[in-house]
Amino acid sequence: MLHSVDICGGTATYSNRWVQTQRLEKDRKKGKISRAMQYMGADGIMMGAANTALVSHAKQLLALYETDRPYIISAPSLETVGQLTYGGALDHGMTAHPKVCPHT
């Protein structure tokens, strides 16, 4: 779940949202949490919860998980835009613990 606090004019507004992942959609359809191996996608990538880290990359806010592709998040609404695949070129999961170089 993502959390946001907007402070404007001396007033704070809190909001939260679930990242709308393929894993969450599958669980909602089934009405229960699946077993680990049931999260394997048709493309061979394990569906993740997108709950490990957030990173800003190429002017996009990304929600990350170890075994899945990143999910693009719209700020400040916290809406899930979809998975980032770089036009289909990202055919595997991406790290959930990125390092950001302060010089580049």
Side-chain angles (χ1 to χ4, degrees), residues 19-64:
V19 179
Q20 300 301 304
T21 64
Q22 292 174 356
R23 179 177 179 155
L24 179 61
E25 181 180 332
K26 179 180 184 123
D27 288 347
R28 282 184 174 155
K29 284 181 182 176
K30 287 180 73 174
K32 64 180 185 176
I33 297 172
S34 298
R35 295 188 181 272
M37 292 313 297
Q38 294 173 320
Y39 289 123
M40 186 66 68
D43 56 5
I45 295 178
M46 197 72 131
M47 296 176 204
N51 64 357
T52 304
L54 292 173
V55 66
S56 178
H57 174 70
K59 299 182 182 179
Q60 293 180 313
L61 181 61
L62 305 177
L64 308 176

Side-chain angles (χ1 to χ4, degrees), residues 4 10 15 22 26 44 88 101:
S4 171
S15 62
Q22 292 174 356
K26 179 180 184 123
C101 177

Side-chain angles (χ1 to χ4, degrees), residues 5 7 11 28 34-35 37 49 51 60 71 75 78 81 85-86 90 99:
V5 177
I7 302 171
T11 302
R28 282 184 174 155
S34 298
R35 295 188 181 272
M37 292 313 297
N51 64 357
Q60 293 180 313
Y71 282 82
L78 304 181
V81 176
T85 65
Y86 294 102
L90 184 61
K99 306 297 182 240

Side-chain angles (χ1 to χ4, degrees), residues 64-84:
L64 308 176
Y65 189 79
E66 296 294 343
T67 60
D68 204 355
R69 294 179 185 100
Y71 282 82
I72 303 167
I73 305 300
S74 177
S77 70
L78 304 181
E79 293 284 340
T80 303
V81 176
Q83 279 191 305
L84 178 64

